[in-house]
Amino acid sequence: MLIRIAFILLSLILLSGTMAQGVEQTINYTTRDGLPSNTVYGIAQDNLGYIWLGTDKGLSRFDGKEFINYTEEDGLLDSEILKFFKDSKGRIWYFTLNGNIGYIYNASLHTVENTGISERIVSITEHKGEIYFTSRTHCFKIEESGKIKIFDWDFYCPSFESNGSRLFLWTKNTIYEVDTTNERLSILKTGEALKSIKSYLSYYREYLISYSGTRSQSNSTIVKYNVKSNAIEKIQMPYEIRNIKVVNDKLNLFTFEGIYEFDPANNSLTLDKTNIWCTDKILDSNNNQWVSTYYNGIFCKNEIINISQTIQSKKLRRVYSTHSDVYLLDDLQKTYILNPNNDLVRIDAIFSPERFIRSKFNHLIIGSHSEISIDNQNYRIPSLGLDTIGNHLIVGAIDSLVIFNIHAKKPTILSTVINKQFGKIRELLIQDSLHYIIRNDGGAHTFNVETEEFSQIKIRTRINNIHKDQNGIIWLATNGSGVYYLDENNKLENINQTNGLSNNFPDKISSIGDDIYLMYADEIDIIRNASNDKLAELKIDHLSGIPGNLIDFSSTDSTILVVTDKGLYSIQPKLSITKNNEPIPLRIEHLTADEIQIKLSKDIEVSLPAGTERIRFKYSAPFFQFGQEAIFRYRISEPDSKNDSWNQTNETFLTFDKLKSGRYTFEVQCRSNISSWSDTQAVSFQLLPYWYEQVWLKWITAFFSSIVIILTIQQIRATILSKKKLKTEKVFAELSAKKAQFKSHFIFNALNSVRNHLLTNELKETDDFLVAYSKLMRKMLDVSNQVLIPLREELELINLYMGLEKMRLRDQFEYDIEIANNVQLDKLKCPAMIMQVFVENAIWHGIMPLSDTGFLSIFITQKKHQYIIRITDDGVGFKSSEINNNRKSWGTQIVNDKINLIKETYDTDIQIEIESNKGVGTSVAISLPINF
């Protein structure tokens, strides 16, 4: 929006002038800023704070940022709105040319019943809560039902007006009092003085006041009627009056020369001369004065009473204040002192001075880029950094600190501290007797005088200015991070735009008492009561509207002095600056889905059709404080979303493209630089899915997809089971073949034993042997068709076998079976006859070659995930190198093949470890899983 800002001074102060009382600033809004017309008849502020304007081209609503214009296409009753009347309920009634009547409330247009009479509305008033209005020839009343009642009184150009207790009707030649109960009229006054073409009527104090005249005349006549004395009086006016209105308890007459304030008690006229034809005026809730005009749009005026102009000049560039004096520098580097009469007095000083300070001994010290002056005695020392402590002046030069003794009559240099890290010192502050704060081109640093340690204050952004306040707090203005300060514990703290600063780019810092002043290009922030114990409770005021662009500022003990491109201004800091820091009222206007605008209702979810590509929210917040603007933040989230972060914007509309279907909540808040965030305004809406995205279709699709998946899985599972069955059958066939081979091997060995007994003619032993053999064979038949058997059955079988072998070998060996306590024989399984071959090998190849009786033991123990069968003999043994070569018997090979088949079938691990030492014996450890 194009805004032209014109600053109007109530009193222009020349070089020898006196202080002005305040600075008035004015903004002019026209069609270039969005007004529908520069002819504006009426102006009013509604219950929400919006400014409404009646023009010859419809209504316009202004929120401080943009104009929203309404015509008959938007429901307006007439395209020409002549005047407003605001009732006790906050409704703004508007005057039309066609006789229809409507009102504005909650920023919306409302209509009542059509009058049916096409005549200009002349008056609207409220009496005891009821609305009365008139046209050129009729009188009306709006009843509680909203219907319009037409009184059967026959008058020309009547006007209603109320003083709260009495209702008056002024006609062409008579003034009546209306009895609203019986709807009767009582004549109060009649006469020739009332016979004129009359326009608007107003009640002021004890007077009914109107005016007369014709459009062909260049003047008007004020007609006033005293309701107490029943007297009528006319007063001639040199200009034509186009409106009459009470504003701020003053009666205003609107003419093309300006606005007159008229006091009917003594007929005095005071002209606010503008040379602009004014039509209406109001004071808004922030005490801004709004004036509408015939051809120049509207004006908004505001007076800042705590700013006054001291010097009017376009050439001033710098201002410096010491304890007693104010010094100024112009664009030609000339130096002036401001005398008590606010005159500029030229003084001789070093060229291009940058620092002015006074010591406690009243020495005037001036520093510059190239030299320093102490009471007009010059030294060729760069001296942008200056500060004093006790009798000493500390000068920050280039790569050095120069210490002067300034207590003596003639200042003398005491010492110089050289440090290449100093660089070119731009500013210097003495924090305490041991620590200096130094700003150079690399940032701000702390210098310890005692240790000469030079350490940087860790601030990433460039430092624009440093300042020490009366509490000893060090402040640092940055170019992008707001302002930092070092607290009493030397801890660095930050204050920025998030905390309420106008922006993060303060140019300079100053202070008065506990208040810290930050200067920007166009305004000043004031951090109130910035002492150590109160910084946690920040209160920031904002001062804007200072005429011109801000160039420099400084502070005295009681005043802030500001140099702009229009002169020198003084600010009284103790006067109230902010007018209203209450949250700004915020309203979501409407939602637009693609090109369709949707009105919003409270607590009702909006449904948007599938395929909506662009959703746009329009919101507004009426805010009219000079130098401030409304700032918005928003977020949009789905109900289950955990994203609660806010996004900030200066726009009054937001657009979201191609959102996916679902339910959303849009939230927006508003604030100014001086107010807190407003209450959240929210809109819930649902973006409907396409037919193929419908939930029911998804469920049906999921159902049938699940059936297909289940059938597919079953088919795959059946195929896998079939393959596994074939593989299992193959494995069992191979195992059966191996078992057959194993059984034939065992039977062959057993029959050899029987043959030996028979040959030796030992019949009883042969009988015992055959009984034992039959038990063993029966047991073997029981397990012959099983891959896995319980460990208990395996031990029974191997016990029978070892007994049989002991009989065959005539007690040539002893054997023992030991089971650990933690082994549960009934729960553990093992491959059938897995121990037999190893026991046989121990007997036949280990023990039989011995000349003495041998010993064979079986020990079973259980670990975490496996159990171990250990078969040990004390036979002849063999070398370890023979284990994998020639020592494998045919039975051992069968066992190994069997174990490999079991591993493949059950996907488990079975380990066999053989250890043997020649002349000592052999040990076989079989590791089996607890769970097959």
Side-chain angles (χ1 to χ4, degrees), residues 123 125 127-128 130-134 139-141 149 151-153 155 158-171 174-189 201 208 225:
S123 71
T125 194
H127 182 70
K128 295 182 178 179
E130 295 182 308
I131 301 299
Y132 294 82
F133 65 100
T134 62
C139 301
F140 308 88
K141 172 187 175 182
K149 178 177 182 179
F151 295 104
D152 56 357
W153 304 326
F155 301 116
S159 290
F160 280 121
E161 183 61 298
S162 172
N163 66 356
S165 59
R166 302 170 69 184
L167 179 64
F168 304 98
L169 180 65
W170 188 320
T171 69
T174 306
I175 300 175
Y176 299 92
E177 182 173 355
V178 182
D179 183 348
T180 56
T181 303
N182 301 314
E183 297 180 353
R184 293 181 180 178
L185 303 176
S186 302
I187 296 175
L188 296 178
K189 194 70 175 181
L201 176 66
L208 279 174
Y225 168 67

Side-chain angles (χ1 to χ4, degrees), residues 44-52 61-62 86 90-92 104-108 282 285 587 622 624:
Q45 186 174 31
D46 70 9
N47 61 306
L48 298 180
Y50 294 98
I51 299 296
W52 290 85
R61 191 196 75 192
F62 186 49
K86 189 172 182 179
R91 298 176 295 183
I92 300 174
I104 302 160
Y105 189 69
N106 283 339
S108 301
I282 65 166
S285 56
R587 178 173 179 264
F624 310 102

Side-chain angles (χ1 to χ4, degrees), residues 30-59:
T30 66
T31 53
R32 286 178 290 182
D33 304 308
L35 267 174
S37 171
N38 286 333
T39 298
V40 183
Y41 298 125
I43 189 166
Q45 186 174 31
D46 70 9
N47 61 306
L48 298 180
Y50 294 98
I51 299 296
W52 290 85
L53 308 164
T55 77
D56 61 346
K57 294 183 180 178
L59 267 177

